[in-house]
């Protein structure tokens, strides 16, 4: 059973998310917090497998809480918010978020994102990925150098840049998800990147978000 902590200052949002997530047989919402400090304390005192975190809340904001939770407790965090401003995207990714989704994301996509993050993937909604690439410094943009990759690896890299999950890539290329996962790990190693978000941005802009 996957134990989920919801962090949002809106009781309406958290109650709705709880219903949606617990409709999945293997999900259990073990806690609800309304600001960053209490979320950190909850993670310290309870078993949590993954956190869904809002950005703007009273007291400690979600981005700061994300950094502390991921660093101190190694718990993956998906930022789920109505806000898509550039600085929140940057800070969320840089502070260790494993996913960044808008609250307009369909319920089934949120559920799939949680499963993907628990499998070690980094997930951004397509809108967020577009934002992340648009505000990078374009003055020195150059085409990504993918020559160290095999033809298959280049195919996978370009599909990652389109925001596709491992499952979708596997279906597109008629591969198993395990094969896609192994290829992606090799791609990241060859390009000296940490996660698929960096890969997507590199393919699209030629720059590396650090």
């Amino acid at each position: 059973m996957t134990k989920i902590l919801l962090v949002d200052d809106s009781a309406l949002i958290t109650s709705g998310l709880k219903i949606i997530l617990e409709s999945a047989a293997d999900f259990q919402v073990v806690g609800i917090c309304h600001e960053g400090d209490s979320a950190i304390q909850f993670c310290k005192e309870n078993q949590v497998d993954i956190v869904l975190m809002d950005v703007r809340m009273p007291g400690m904001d979600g981005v700061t809480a994300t950094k502390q939770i991921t660093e101190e407790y190694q718990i993956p965090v998906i930022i789920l918010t109505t806000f898509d401003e550039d600085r929140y995207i940057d800070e969320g990714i840089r502070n260790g978020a494993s996913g960044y989704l808008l609250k307009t994301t369909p319920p089934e996509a949120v559920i799939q994102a949680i499963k993907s993050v628990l499998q070690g993937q980094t997930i951004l909604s397509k809108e967020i990925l577009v934002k992340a690439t648009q505000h990078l410094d374009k003055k020195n943009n150059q085409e990504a150098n993918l020559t160290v990759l095999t033809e298959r690896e280049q195919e996978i890299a370009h599909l990652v840049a389109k925001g596709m999950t491992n499952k979708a890539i596997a279906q597109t290329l008629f591969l198993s998800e395990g094969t896609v996962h192994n290829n992606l790990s090799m791609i990241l190693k060859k390009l000296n990147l940490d996660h698929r978000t960096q890969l997507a941005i590199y393919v699209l802009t030629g720059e590396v978000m650090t």
Side-chain angles (χ1 to χ4, degrees):
M1 184 71 69
T2 299
K3 299 181 183 301
I4 303 172
L5 172 64
L6 303 179
V7 188
D8 197 298
D9 61 344
S10 168
L12 181 63
I13 294 294
T14 54
S15 61
L17 277 173
K18 186 175 189 295
I19 293 171
I20 290 169
L21 295 176
E22 291 190 339
S23 68
D26 53 347
F27 286 171
Q28 178 187 8
V29 175
V30 293
I32 293 176
C33 298
H34 300 293
E35 51 90 31
D37 285 320
S38 59
I40 293 170
Q41 189 65 28
F42 189 94
C43 290
K44 180 180 179 180
E45 298 174 351
N46 300 273
Q47 181 183 345
V48 177
D49 296 316
I50 191 166
V51 179
L52 266 61
M53 179 81 71
D54 190 20
V55 172
R56 288 186 180 178
M57 296 177 290
M60 181 185 291
D61 65 84
V63 171
T64 302
T66 293
K67 180 177 177 62
Q68 192 164 338
I69 289 171
T70 55
E71 288 183 353
E72 292 189 17
Y73 307 112
Q74 290 77 52
I75 299 172
V77 176
I78 295 177
I79 292 180
L80 187 63
T81 181
T82 56
F83 303 101
D84 62 350
E85 292 94 339
D86 293 351
R87 76 178 182 90
Y88 288 121
I89 299 170
D90 262 356
E91 292 176 5
I93 295 171
R94 295 179 197 279
N95 284 352
S98 296
Y100 200 124
L101 304 176
L102 298 181
K103 287 180 180 175
T104 53
T105 303
E108 61 273 16
V110 175
I111 290 172
Q112 183 56 53
I114 292 172
K115 292 179 178 179
S116 296
V117 166
L118 290 171
Q119 293 173 355
Q121 299 182 37
T122 302
I123 301 297
L124 274 74
S125 67
K126 291 182 180 179
E127 299 92 339
I128 297 298
L129 184 56
V130 168
K131 278 280 188 179
T133 57
Q134 282 180 342
H135 74 271
L136 288 174
D137 182 5
K138 296 298 192 294
K139 293 181 181 179
N140 298 317
N141 270 6
Q142 57 186 358
E143 186 175 347
N145 182 5
L146 303 179
T147 56
V148 296
L149 305 181
T150 66
E151 184 176 345
R152 174 64 78 193
E153 289 169 347
Q154 290 183 36
E155 284 183 298
I156 291 173
H158 283 290
L159 292 178
V160 168
K162 291 182 178 181
M164 295 177 66
T165 64
N166 284 7
K167 182 177 181 179
I169 294 172
Q171 292 173 341
T172 299
L173 299 180
F174 304 102
L175 301 171
S176 70
E177 286 189 60
T179 298
V180 173
H181 175 78
N182 291 339
N183 274 271
L184 182 56
S185 297
M186 183 58 66
I187 291 167
L188 295 176
K189 182 177 181 180
K190 286 182 177 180
L191 296 178
N192 196 28
L193 301 174
D194 294 324
H195 52 72
R196 69 192 298 126
T197 303
Q198 286 182 321
L199 173 61
I201 292 172
Y202 179 61
V203 172
L204 291 170
T205 69
E207 296 185 28
V208 177
M209 176 180 279
T210 58

